[in-house]
Amino acid sequence: MDSYSKRKNIIILIFLLVGIVFIVRLFLLQVLDTTYKKTATNNVLREVVDYPSRGLIYDRKGRLMVYNQAAYDLLATPREIGRFDTTLLCSILNIEKARIERSLTKAKKYSKYKPSIIVKQISPERYALLQEKMYKFPGFYVQPRTLRKYNYDNSAHVLGYVGEVSPSMMEDDSYYKQGDYIGSTGIESTYEKYLRGVKGKSYYLVDVHNRVKGSYDRGNMDVSPVKGSDLITTIDAELQQYGEKLLQNKIASIVAIEPESGEILSLVSAPGYKPSDMVGRERVENYPRLVGDSLLPLFNRAVRALYPPGSTFKMMNALIALQEEVITPRTRFMCNHGYHVGSFSMGCHHDREFQLDASIAQSCNAYYAYTFRRILESSKFADVKEGYEKWREHVLSFGLSETIAPEIPDELPGLIPTSDYYQHRVFPYSRWRALPIISLSIGQGEIQTTPLQMANYAAALANKGYYYTPHLVKDILGTDETIVDVEKHQTMIDSIYFEEVFDGMEHVFSFDHQGTARASRVPGIRICGKTGTAENPHGEDHSTFIAFAPRENPKIAVAVYVEYGKWGSTFAAPIATLLIEKYLNDSIQGSRQYIEKNMMEANLLFPDEPNYFKIE
Amino acid sequence: MAIRNNTWGNLDWLTILIYIILVISGWFNIYSAVYNDEFSSIFDLSQRYGKQMIWIGLSAVLAFFILLVDSKFFVTFSYVLYVLFALLLILVLFVGKEVNGAKSWLMLGSLAIQPAEFAKLGTSLAIAKLISSYSFSFNNFRKVLALALLILIPVVLIVLQNDTGSALVYIVFIIPLFREGMSGLILFFVFYAALLFILTLVVSPLAIIVTVVVLALFADLIIRKRWGDLLKIIVLIGFWSLVVWGYSEFFTEKSIDAYYVLVRSSVLASIVLMFVSLIKRIPQAPLIVSMFLLSLAFIFTVDYAFNEILESHHRARINNLIGVESDPLGAGYNVNQSKIAIGSGGLTGKGFLQGTQTKYDFVPEQSTDFIFCTVGEEWGFIGTSAVVIFFIVLIIRLIILAERQRSAYSRIFGYCVASIIFFHFAVNIGMTIGLAPVIGIPLPFFSYGGSSLWFFTILLFVFLKLDSSRFEQLH
């Protein structure tokens, strides 16, 4: 034996040591450390989102208003893109070469391995062309999406639009991922949670080149998308369309409410836009144009425009005075071309004595100056200030100075000033008196209301003292849930005081009583209404009108505002009565069709175009 | 004598059994790694698994013929074979085919042969012949020079092919040399320097310095057999740590980290120890302390040279070589994906043909250099540890066989065979689990490829033939 044979032990020891180190290392790696399992799964799993179709929207009579249309996004994974004919792709999709190149550069910058959207919202027609040639574009694939489509191209402000989710929204709600659609305004936004449905997921195994190799776990982990819930709105799509036609070429708004339920039948803000203007690729062009328009078509006047209510507010003061028992329906006040106290004067058109009935029909200012003073200066109250506070309480019970429609997030509350407001501004050094704030008696001065609030006020009148929460959605199909609790709001006026006020409102249309809106009389329908003129410091006054009908069983309450329309009787009253007639009778009787024609054609906006209405 | 000359009766069937197990499991793992639905038969000749079946069949034929050859042939023609293979290495430089940047393949029709593999056989035979000659001694400078040239010539030729990985295998010849009487210090220094080099780059310098300090102290204690000194040394280092930390805390502006406290206190403690040892006339102490200081200097040099002198792309390449996961998608991608594949296998694996990492090409070279990933992913810890155990048993069995040889020639050759298989095994599996640099060398018997399989078959069976003739007089 050679002298170094013992060295075999050292060598065997080294070999054994390496073996043991390997086994220990493998044990750590495979058995103790579980993170690698997850990494391996992440490596091969590709999650593909299956988009659910968005809930449909119906009108109150079950007419389909909003549905979905297929559109296709073209995606590409930069690493997989082979040689392809850019010109061919551009001609199929009808877009410029530069746009595709820009998208591809952006996609490469984002990730070479992950797909990016190259062209959005390809129409089904173009998709059909593209599909045949798809094999010529390696690395590209198409993902189906849905776009909104409208049967009635109206109600834009009610419905709102669907847009791509913004980064801040994605932060707030992890449901949304880059490129998802979300309701941005209107009920698309309010009811987003119900309309969107639930995204589905499919898992695919991919190889290192991100090529799909098959479904994962035989599709057991896949989740099918759940279709969004359909909505039934309170809107009458035909009435809405009619309202929008009447308001063409005017800055105006209409709100119509069903008094017995609080359901909003129609909500029009003009000038507006077509819902289809905000869909898909059209929005890219239309949105900046609408934002830049000086007539503010995106501005929802029906819930955000603030006007003094004008003479339509007179019923409010009459009812408060009756409730506080400072007048009776037979109380008479003298109008002597207005109301005059010392050097103070508030103009009017009459030279006669008025009772409640005629004061409404002929809209006498002096009558309400007396009435308002009687309320505030009543001996029931310690002083005028306390009287004002009581008056304000009554007014607020009609839903003024607060937001009343929870579904409409951008609604403004308007303003009925608090007593503190007048304390600081009007009576800082003197005691409270009624005279400095006497314009409140005829709905002018500091008070501000929205068309929605005035329609709601009309509904409360129709109901003789209560109103239901105004709302836009009747039902979310397939669920018992609701977003809005429709509550009955009781005003502070007892129902017994309304009939006399209604008499006056009905006589507004009466020739015999020289009613202010007698020209808008609708034979066959007992309408209660009231004209108003909202003071406009910027130009011609605004024409307003509120009404409900039929008197015996009110089905519709309406408020109409037409900016720069001057008298309530010139525009607002005809439009309101046409709307009522249309809603109740479904058609306009022959004797009134010339009014309909005049209203639709009247142009208050563009002096250079036909039918421009010049106010003398 | 009839029995003694019976090749079949004297064959070591245990080795052959392990060989067959490894080759067959390699074949199944190749099938799984490159499995293709369209060609699902393992016998499909258009796929790698079908081809591997042919290579395995040819290997059996080769093995059979080698066993028929008279063992004296190998002894007699050792140098001739060495020269022949060296010439092939030169030939490949001119007519070779370039694969992955290395010009290392000879094409014989559709057969691809890698001469670098076979050169290891020639070198093993030549080394065995040289060292077993009567006049050889490790003290004879001319003989040692001849030995060095025997090894270096193929190394240089292989490096010229730009196949550094294959050239590195030649380091392993120090194992048979060590067995035959080469100074153990050389083995120790080579291992120590390689270990320090890799560890310095892979692990943080702090951890290595702690290791070196502990090693030095234990070396000191073992040599002096005075365990009571352990406490003294700990107190000594603790004291200097306090001094260094206190100094920097109270007398300088900057606060320092544990790394420097430990380095400085260890150096100071070592100097104190050296003085004490010199005064007490303990002979080994200066050696240990200077070794310790040299190690520290080496670590700092490597660390400094690596971070300050080398350009970043050089750094990336070395980091890649040693498998540092500095950039999982760049240089460290292979090792990272390989670890994910093996790690995701768990205890029992995902099952045959169920691996996703290897099947979907996340692991590169999954049928050749990274075949072990498939084992790890589909068969789990049970599979991998079985493979490791089979290899270790095979290698140790070869050492036992080598030791039972009567002739030094057979013994040395046996050590060469065991060492070459060991190196391939250690580096290949080591790289897949992040313990060794990523050197593109195949796993013996497992990896796809005729050239590699034939080489290892020939290597093994030449030795088995020599072993079966161990009762004959070979010289």
Side-chain angles (χ1 to χ4, degrees):
Chain A
M1 274 285 120
D2 59 301
S3 50
Y4 297 109
S5 77
K6 276 190 177 167
R7 286 192 170 179
K8 73 165 190 274
N9 296 329
I10 296 176
I11 293 168
I12 289 175
L13 196 73
I14 292 171
F15 291 168
L16 274 178
L17 212 66
V18 169
I20 290 165
V21 166
F22 278 7
I23 288 177
V24 169
R25 170 73 171 182
L26 284 165
F27 187 75
L28 294 175
L29 205 62
Q30 298 190 282
V31 182
L32 295 187
D33 192 337
T34 54
T35 55
Y36 289 104
K37 275 198 183 110
K38 219 170 132 190
T39 320
T41 311
N42 289 345
N43 257 346
V44 293
L45 274 196
R46 186 208 274 170
E47 192 185 288
V48 176
V49 177
D50 297 331
Y51 289 97
S53 69
R54 204 172 165 83
L56 308 179
I57 301 178
Y58 296 92
D59 90 334
R60 63 185 294 108
K61 291 180 175 160
R63 292 177 285 224
L64 184 61
M65 293 176 81
V66 187
Y67 61 103
N68 299 306
Q69 181 194 36
Y72 301 86
D73 287 351
L74 182 68
L75 291 86
T77 310
R79 212 186 117 105
E80 294 165 24
I81 297 175
R83 292 170 62 85
F84 71 98
D85 186 346
T86 322
T87 321
L88 178 66
L89 186 62
C90 291
S91 71
I92 292 174
L93 300 179
N94 190 27
I95 51 176
E96 305 130 49
K97 215 168 175 172
R99 227 181 97 190
I100 290 219
E101 275 156 10
R102 224 177 315 130
S103 304
L104 283 174
T105 317
K106 223 171 116 190
K108 273 176 206 152
K109 218 183 262 174
Y110 166 64
S111 168
K112 279 198 150 91
Y113 298 87
K114 288 183 187 159
S116 299
I117 297 178
I118 304 298
V119 184
K120 279 179 199 168
Q121 298 158 358
I122 300 164
S123 68
E125 298 78 37
R126 298 223 171 260
Y127 170 65
L129 292 175
L130 177 66
Q131 207 180 17
E132 284 172 28
K133 300 277 160 59
M134 210 53 204
Y135 71 94
K136 288 189 174 173
F137 308 111
F140 286 86
Y141 70 95
V142 167
Q143 187 167 38
R145 298 298 297 268
T146 57
L147 289 181
R148 284 310 218 187
K149 185 99 175 149
Y150 300 90
N151 260 347
Y152 294 88
D153 211 356
N154 60 34
S155 317
H157 288 291
V158 173
L159 299 170
Y161 57 86
V162 177
E164 215 161 281
V165 71
S166 74
S168 65
M169 290 170 190
M170 281 188 274
E171 252 170 55
D172 293 346
D173 189 342
S174 59
Y175 177 86
Y176 297 102
K177 298 280 175 287
Q178 182 78 41
D180 281 4
Y181 294 145
I182 184 171
S184 300
T185 59
I187 53 182
E188 293 275 19
S189 165
T190 313
Y191 285 86
E192 165 68 13
K193 211 175 79 178
Y194 298 96
L195 288 169
R196 73 184 179 193
V198 182
K199 278 189 276 189
K201 277 176 191 168
S202 303
Y203 293 91
Y204 295 102
L205 288 172
V206 294
D207 72 359
V208 70
H209 306 300
N210 210 16
R211 286 183 298 230
V212 171
K213 289 289 183 179
S215 68
Y216 177 70
D217 195 16
R218 289 189 210 88
N220 283 338
M221 272 171 68
D222 294 1
V223 181
S224 310
V226 179
K227 185 187 172 306
S229 306
D230 297 343
L231 297 184
I232 295 189
T233 66
T234 61
I235 296 291
D236 184 315
E238 295 287 349
L239 188 69
Q240 179 79 17
Q241 188 158 310
Y242 187 67
E244 290 186 16
K245 257 188 187 167
L246 289 172
L247 296 194
Q248 293 179 118
N249 296 327
K250 302 166 190 73
I251 302 175
S253 45
I254 295 174
V255 180
I257 294 177
E258 185 180 67
E260 66 193 40
S261 62
E263 291 169 4
I264 298 173
L265 301 171
S266 167
L267 190 133
V268 187
S269 172
Y273 60 93
K274 292 178 187 162
S276 58
D277 285 348
M278 294 294 235
V279 174
R281 281 153 71 179
E282 279 80 49
R283 182 165 65 238
V284 181
E285 289 142 36
N286 289 327
Y287 188 73
R289 175 177 63 76
L290 292 170
V291 167
D293 193 328
S294 62
L295 296 173
L296 309 176
L298 294 176
F299 178 68
N300 189 354
R301 292 185 166 77
V303 297
R304 289 179 66 80
L306 296 171
Y307 309 97
S311 298
T312 56
F313 203 62
K314 283 175 179 163
M315 287 83 81
M316 178 75 82
N317 280 324
L319 287 167
I320 296 169
L322 290 168
Q323 178 72 33
E324 292 299 329
E325 293 171 333
V326 293
I327 61 166
T328 71
R330 274 150 298 282
T331 309
R332 290 167 176 273
F333 295 114
M334 183 65 196
C335 177
N336 185 15
H337 293 286
Y339 173 71
H340 312 283
V341 179
S343 62
F344 178 83
S345 218
M346 185 163 76
C348 197
H349 323 288
H350 315 100
D351 185 14
R352 56 167 278 198
E353 238 180 4
F354 278 102
Q355 283 185 348
L356 176 62
D357 169 12
S359 77
I360 294 174
Q362 297 185 26
S363 199
C364 174
N365 289 346
Y367 181 91
Y368 288 94
Y370 288 111
T371 305
F372 188 66
R373 282 191 71 168
R374 283 236 183 143
I375 301 168
L376 265 56
E377 292 167 358
S378 162
S379 55
K380 284 186 187 171
F381 309 122
D383 57 9
V384 172
K385 186 183 177 189
E386 198 187 307
Y388 175 77
E389 281 165 356
K390 187 70 188 174
W391 176 85
R392 184 171 184 269
E393 233 180 282
H394 282 291
V395 173
L396 259 50
S397 74
F398 281 82
L400 301 186
S401 210
E402 64 173 326
T403 58
I404 48 173
E407 283 167 326
I408 308 175
D410 55 351
E411 184 199 357
L412 288 181
L415 178 72
I416 307 294
T418 60
S419 58
D420 281 348
Y421 176 92
Y422 289 115
Q423 185 79 61
H424 288 113
R425 307 245 179 150
V426 185
F427 309 112
Y429 308 115
S430 58
R431 65 180 181 84
W432 273 72
R433 285 172 300 121
L435 212 52
I437 54 174
I438 201 77
S439 49
L440 296 179
S441 66
I442 56 165
Q444 307 290 0
E446 293 81 3
I447 56 177
Q448 290 182 317
T449 56
T450 63
L452 173 68
Q453 284 172 331
M454 293 315 283
N456 186 56
Y457 160 61
L461 291 176
N463 288 336
K464 296 187 184 169
Y466 61 87
Y467 68 92
Y468 289 101
T469 311
H471 56 283
L472 286 166
V473 172
K474 267 169 98 105
D475 197 9
I476 307 166
L477 295 181
T479 82
D480 297 332
E481 294 171 55
T482 50
I483 280 196
V484 182
D485 287 328
V486 177
E487 283 170 22
K488 184 177 176 180
H489 298 266
Q490 195 65 50
T491 66
M492 288 164 63
I493 310 296
D494 296 336
S495 59
I496 49 164
Y497 297 113
F498 283 84
E499 283 298 339
E500 275 89 358
V501 173
F502 289 178
D503 288 341
M505 289 176 77
E506 199 177 348
H507 293 156
V508 164
F509 298 99
S510 155
F511 278 97
D512 299 341
H513 293 84
Q514 293 184 305
T516 49
R518 53 192 181 272
S520 298
R521 192 170 52 90
V522 184
I525 302 175
R526 293 181 68 191
I527 305 180
C528 294
K530 178 75 190 81
T531 53
T533 304
E535 275 179 3
N536 178 15
H538 310 294
E540 204 55 68
D541 289 346
H542 304 319
S543 165
T544 80
F545 196 80
I546 69 165
F548 63 85
R551 176 177 171 175
E552 57 279 9
N553 178 23
K555 288 290 170 201
I556 180 171
V558 184
V560 177
Y561 276 76
V562 180
E563 290 192 18
Y564 311 105
K566 196 159 185 177
W567 310 111
S569 53
T570 45
F571 287 103
I575 289 173
T577 54
L578 284 168
L579 209 74
I580 288 170
E581 188 179 4
K582 178 83 177 173
Y583 182 67
L584 295 178
N585 291 352
D586 216 30
S587 61
I588 305 299
Q589 48 196 284
S591 65
R592 280 169 51 78
Q593 274 172 3
Y594 79 98
I595 302 180
E596 182 185 39
K597 183 170 177 284
N598 284 347
M599 285 303 122
M600 283 183 182
E601 287 176 354
N603 165 11
L604 276 71
L605 284 180
F606 309 105
D608 301 333
E609 287 177 20
N611 299 313
Y612 180 65
F613 187 86
K614 181 95 178 73
I615 293 161
E616 299 89 41
Chain B
M1 292 299 281
I3 298 166
R4 292 195 162 188
N5 286 327
N6 182 348
T7 300
W8 308 109
N10 288 337
L11 266 183
D12 187 61
W13 290 100
L14 174 64
T15 306
I16 294 176
L17 179 70
I18 297 175
Y19 165 79
I20 291 171
I21 290 173
L22 289 177
V23 167
I24 298 292
S25 23
W27 183 33
F28 275 99
N29 279 296
I30 291 166
Y31 177 61
S32 185
V34 292
Y35 177 78
N36 185 330
D37 277 325
E38 288 173 48
F39 310 96
S40 58
S41 164
I42 195 169
F43 305 112
D44 194 313
L45 297 183
S46 67
Q47 300 298 308
R48 284 195 160 184
Y49 28 92
K51 286 183 183 150
Q52 183 75 358
M53 182 186 68
I54 297 177
W55 309 150
I56 291 171
L58 285 174
S59 297
V61 175
L62 268 177
F64 182 74
F65 278 109
I66 285 166
L67 294 178
L68 292 184
V69 174
D70 189 331
S71 46
K72 287 197 182 71
F73 168 84
F74 301 109
V75 186
T76 315
F77 290 99
S78 289
Y79 290 136
V80 176
L81 287 169
Y82 174 83
V83 172
L84 206 68
F85 289 128
L87 286 175
L88 279 182
L89 285 180
I90 295 169
L91 184 69
V92 84
L93 285 175
F94 297 103
V95 300
K97 188 188 169 202
E98 198 171 305
V99 175
N100 292 337
K103 200 171 181 181
S104 57
W105 292 87
L106 269 187
M107 303 302 292
L108 303 171
S110 61
L111 279 184
I113 298 291
Q114 202 173 8
E117 300 277 23
F118 295 91
K120 282 176 265 181
L121 174 65
T123 310
S124 302
L125 292 170
I127 288 173
K129 178 90 172 180
L130 179 65
I131 297 179
S132 63
S133 66
Y134 293 115
S135 55
F136 184 84
S137 157
F138 278 100
N139 297 321
N140 183 330
F141 179 73
R142 287 184 61 183
K143 293 286 180 184
V144 172
L145 188 68
L147 180 63
L149 281 177
L150 268 187
I151 298 174
L152 281 177
I153 287 168
V155 168
V156 169
L157 289 173
I158 295 169
V159 168
L160 283 178
Q161 295 169 13
N162 203 12
D163 190 3
T164 324
S166 296
L168 277 173
V169 180
Y170 283 76
I171 288 175
V172 85
F173 284 118
I174 62 167
I175 290 175
L177 298 188
F178 169 71
R179 166 64 184 82
E180 295 306 318
M182 185 189 69
S183 167
L185 272 180
I186 295 176
L187 183 71
F188 175 74
F189 277 120
V190 168
F191 267 104
Y192 189 65
L195 189 75
L196 277 188
F197 178 80
I198 291 171
L199 283 181
T200 307
L201 300 183
V202 175
V203 194
S204 78
L206 175 66
I208 302 159
I209 285 173
V210 172
T211 318
V212 169
V213 168
V214 172
L215 275 180
L217 291 178
F218 270 93
D220 179 59
L221 292 171
I222 289 166
I223 290 168
R224 287 160 63 196
K225 296 191 166 53
R226 285 181 57 180
W227 297 99
D229 285 357
L230 184 62
L231 194 69
K232 284 187 205 167
I233 292 165
I234 291 170
V235 170
L236 193 62
I237 290 187
F239 168 73
W240 282 114
S241 299
L242 257 170
V243 169
V244 172
W245 173 78
Y247 173 78
S248 60
E249 191 67 27
F250 296 111
F251 296 98
T252 62
E253 293 275 304
K254 53 180 181 185
S255 68
I256 53 168
D257 58 18
Y259 173 53
Y260 284 100
V261 172
L262 209 66
V263 172
R264 289 179 196 191
S265 54
S266 304
V267 171
L268 289 169
S270 309
I271 293 167
V272 172
L273 263 180
M274 193 148 65
F275 271 110
V276 172
S277 312
L278 284 175
I279 291 161
K280 289 190 175 176
R281 293 174 191 283
I282 297 162
Q284 296 92 340
L287 177 72
I288 292 165
V289 174
S290 45
M291 178 82 187
F292 167 64
L293 293 177
L294 271 175
S295 303
L296 282 188
F298 182 74
I299 290 168
F300 276 110
T301 313
V302 170
D303 199 33
Y304 178 81
F306 188 74
N307 288 317
E308 305 295 330
I309 297 175
L310 287 182
E311 306 264 339
S312 68
H313 62 276
H314 288 134
R315 256 203 306 276
R317 208 174 292 165
I318 292 177
N319 266 333
N320 183 13
L321 192 74
I322 57 175
V324 173
E325 294 171 45
S326 53
D327 175 13
L329 288 175
Y333 174 83
N334 294 0
V335 176
N336 197 37
Q337 290 296 344
S338 154
K339 279 163 76 180
I340 291 170
I342 294 172
S344 66
L347 180 65
T348 55
K350 298 175 185 169
F352 187 50
L353 296 180
Q354 301 301 313
T356 55
Q357 277 288 106
T358 49
K359 213 157 89 178
Y360 297 144
D361 302 342
F362 286 94
V363 178
E365 308 290 338
Q366 73 264 32
S367 65
T368 56
D369 293 349
F370 283 88
I371 187 71
F372 193 67
C373 294
T374 309
V375 182
E377 191 177 15
E378 301 195 342
W379 302 100
F381 176 67
I382 290 171
T384 53
S385 53
V387 169
V388 170
I389 288 167
F390 274 124
F391 267 105
I392 294 297
V393 169
L394 174 70
I395 291 162
I396 290 174
R397 178 69 190 166
L398 288 175
I399 295 294
I400 292 166
L401 295 186
E403 285 293 339
R404 78 181 182 188
Q405 302 304 313
R406 286 179 175 180
S407 85
Y409 177 86
S410 301
R411 181 181 67 233
I412 296 163
F413 183 72
Y415 265 94
C416 287
V417 173
S419 302
I420 291 170
I421 293 175
F422 168 73
F423 189 87
H424 274 259
F425 154 78
V427 170
N428 182 286
I429 293 185
M431 79 179 176
T432 62
I433 55 181
L435 285 182
V438 178
I439 297 170
I441 57 174
L443 185 61
F445 315 119
F446 252 78
S447 293
Y448 168 78
S451 184
S452 150
L453 180 61
W454 296 332
F455 160 65
F456 282 107
T457 304
I458 294 170
L459 197 66
L460 191 69
F461 278 85
V462 167
F463 177 61
L464 287 179
K465 175 67 193 175
L466 291 174
D467 176 61
S468 71
S469 324
R470 62 188 176 277
F471 303 111
E472 296 171 27
Q473 185 58 263
L474 288 176
H475 282 281

